[in-house]
Amino acid sequence: GGSSGGGSAPAVLAHPFCNGDASDLSGAGDLGCSADYGAKAYCSVADWTADLDARFQYYDDASVGGDEEQADFCPYMKPYSNGDCGSAANAGANDALYGKAYGAGSACMLADLLDSGYTTVGTLVAGCFAFACDDDAGTLSVTVGAQTKACAADGDTLSFSGFSRTLTCPPYTTLCDRKRSSGWWAIDD
């Protein structure tokens, strides 16, 4: 993802739209989560060979926009082919160092968690984490390692013992309503 210098994009973006800016670590830049938070994703920005029609120009450079005409060239967070959080097959050997979990009951969340005993040169933006919904309380809880913490509100920041940095709580409604109504993941609560 990311453009090769397409200039600035609109400053205010709502998820899942994005700007392709690698320095924007808000989840609206180059990396983040898919619209349904089911997968890790990248911003679908492309450099076109010709200028886009004026109504589809979102960047200073008229030839830069989203990579799909069907989406009116709006750049959005597009799932990686191996980014599905619900698939245990996508798990990596070092996921425990980042508190990540794949499989039924996992979703993409903005986080830069890292085991306290390690350092990294790169930037971490999003990952897959285990979660559960408490419909009675209307809350979502996130599990990292052996610790489970409840999100008091969408966008709350959680810290976990043994990990540096933080995780941002995803929207309860997006994850829990979909989980409950469509069987997106196996109902485990």
Side-chain angles (χ1 to χ4, degrees), residues 80-107:
Y80 282 108
S81 60
N82 64 348
D84 180 3
C85 294
S87 174
N90 291 332
N94 295 320
D95 285 346
L97 295 176
Y98 305 99
K100 296 177 182 178
Y102 288 81
S106 290

Side-chain angles (χ1 to χ4, degrees), residues 4-161:
S4 58
S8 59
V12 179
L13 296 167
H15 183 79
F17 299 105
C18 54
N19 58 35
D21 180 354
S23 67
D24 180 348
L25 305 180
S26 70
D30 197 28
L31 302 172
C33 297
S34 62
D36 63 4
Y37 290 86
K40 295 186 300 181
Y42 63 95
C43 189
S44 62
V45 175
D47 291 317
W48 292 86
T49 55
D51 287 356
L52 299 173
D53 187 278
R55 62 192 167 148
F56 302 129
Q57 292 177 12
Y58 310 107
Y59 293 84
D60 293 338
D61 182 336
S63 67
V64 174
D67 69 354
E68 291 188 26
E69 182 178 2
Q70 300 87 342
D72 290 342
F73 303 99
C74 290
Y76 67 92
M77 286 297 173
K78 195 174 208 177
Y80 282 108
S81 60
N82 64 348
D84 180 3
C85 294
S87 174
N90 291 332
N94 295 320
D95 285 346
L97 295 176
Y98 305 99
K100 296 177 182 178
Y102 288 81
S106 290
C108 183
M109 300 177 199
L110 300 178
D112 60 356
L113 294 174
L114 179 63
D115 183 296
S116 304
Y118 293 83
T119 57
T120 184
V121 228
T123 304
L124 308 170
V125 178
C128 297
F129 299 90
F131 79 100
C133 301
D134 181 337
D135 292 332
D136 294 332
T139 59
L140 179 144
S141 59
V142 180
T143 300
V144 171
Q147 304 168 69
T148 299
K149 294 194 173 187
C151 295
D154 297 353
D156 272 1
T157 301
L158 300 179
S159 297
F160 293 88
S161 176

